[in-house]
Amino acid sequence: MSTIRVKYNTYEFNNIDIHLKTLRDRQQYDSEKEQELNEYGISSATWSLFGVVWPASKVLAHYIENYDVENKRILEIGCGIALTSHLLNSKKADITATDYNPDVESFLNENTKLNHLKKIPFERTSWTDNTDRLGKFDLIVGSDILYERWHIKELSNFINKHVKDKCEIIISDPGRGNHAKFSKTMVSLGFSFMQFKPKKTEEYLSKAFKGQLIKYTRK
């Protein structure tokens, strides 16, 4: 029988605390679901990546904490444990989450209950899926989603498909080296962009953040 070990942490944002159940570490694997995971192309080496809170996720959440989200429909893509989605949900923002891993949804729902918040709409989908029901958004956010060079075209097309004519995209990138090519692709789709270093990351990260935040806009 497969036994998944988990842990609970609290992430502090000024006067907001977000409580999250996560995998204990990246060595966890649900072998009972191996056949289902294989159908999605998810291996034992990559399954656990959704279940921990990465530094780029913390950076995104801290940046979005005071961002103007009023009257905006927001989507977090590749959400994983979805720290940013839970933070926005606590601020009563209109947030939807999506990820490819089918196990994300159960953690998302459990953590929503843990924080005594309303259920966050979720859809499991891939960046090549042409049948999702997500619709269009004013703001799309994501952290550490530029991890594979061959995903750039798929990701940019997915974003372009799900944004309104006037929109914003914010990506927290830890510096994997793919952001320049991605930004070039986004420019070809009519977006302008700026990139900048997040501030005061030493207050919540144990190591220096070597990446950047990238903001894409179309007006």
Side-chain angles (χ1 to χ4, degrees):
M1 179 179 292
S2 175
T3 302
I4 301 301
R5 303 195 70 181
V6 300
K7 64 180 181 179
Y8 294 83
N9 284 317
T10 297
Y11 298 86
E12 300 179 1
F13 300 88
N14 292 323
N15 62 338
I16 298 174
D17 289 340
I18 300 298
H19 311 292
L20 293 180
K21 170 188 171 183
T22 70
L23 296 178
R24 183 170 182 174
D25 52 46
R26 283 179 277 167
Q27 305 307 312
Q28 305 303 312
Y29 179 60
D30 192 347
S31 59
E32 291 182 347
K33 296 183 177 180
E34 187 165 10
Q35 183 175 350
E36 176 189 1
L37 295 172
N38 285 340
E39 292 176 359
Y40 288 119
I42 299 172
S43 68
S44 58
T46 61
W47 177 79
S48 65
L49 299 182
F50 85 90
V52 296
V53 177
W54 296 84
S57 177
K58 296 179 184 178
V59 169
L60 177 63
H62 278 273
Y63 178 72
I64 214 73
E65 177 186 4
N66 296 312
Y67 203 77
D68 180 13
V69 296
E70 187 175 2
N71 298 321
K72 292 179 181 177
R73 187 169 187 242
I74 310 163
L75 175 68
E76 182 176 10
I77 54 177
C79 68
I81 287 296
L83 175 60
T84 294
S85 288
H86 289 293
L87 176 61
L88 289 172
N89 196 30
S90 73
K91 297 166 72 69
K92 302 187 185 305
D94 182 359
I95 178 68
T96 298
T98 185
D99 198 285
Y100 185 66
N101 193 313
D103 289 305
V104 166
E105 186 172 17
S106 62
F107 276 80
L108 184 74
N109 290 339
E110 285 189 54
N111 283 325
T112 299
K113 293 178 182 177
L114 190 63
N115 288 282
H116 306 290
L117 298 170
K118 68 176 183 179
K119 186 175 182 179
I120 297 173
F122 174 84
E123 185 166 347
R124 193 216 66 81
T125 188
S126 73
W127 295 334
T128 58
D129 188 358
N130 293 317
T131 61
D132 68 69
R133 301 162 293 167
L134 291 167
K136 294 185 179 292
F137 297 83
D138 303 284
L139 172 63
I140 290 181
V141 299
S143 60
D144 203 0
I145 54 177
L146 304 177
Y147 46 83
E148 298 289 3
R149 184 171 293 270
W150 54 86
H151 286 162
I152 287 175
K153 184 176 180 180
E154 297 170 355
L155 175 58
S156 58
N157 286 338
F158 182 87
I159 290 174
N160 193 45
K161 173 185 173 184
H162 291 96
V163 288
K164 298 178 181 178
D165 292 337
K166 182 179 180 181
C167 58
E168 299 172 305
I169 299 96
I170 299 171
I171 294 176
S172 174
D173 176 58
R176 297 189 185 276
N178 295 321
H179 69 276
K181 185 175 180 181
F182 179 76
S183 293
K184 184 178 180 180
T185 303
M186 292 294 284
V187 168
S188 73
L189 293 172
F191 294 91
S192 58
F193 77 98
M194 60 181 293
Q195 60 189 60
F196 49 95
K197 286 285 185 179
K199 298 178 180 179
K200 299 181 179 180
T201 58
E202 69 279 0
E203 294 181 358
Y204 55 87
L205 294 182
S206 59
K207 296 181 180 179
F209 188 69
K210 297 180 179 179
Q212 59 275 310
L213 284 160
I214 315 172
K215 181 178 179 180
Y216 302 90
T217 57
R218 192 167 62 192
K219 300 179 180 179

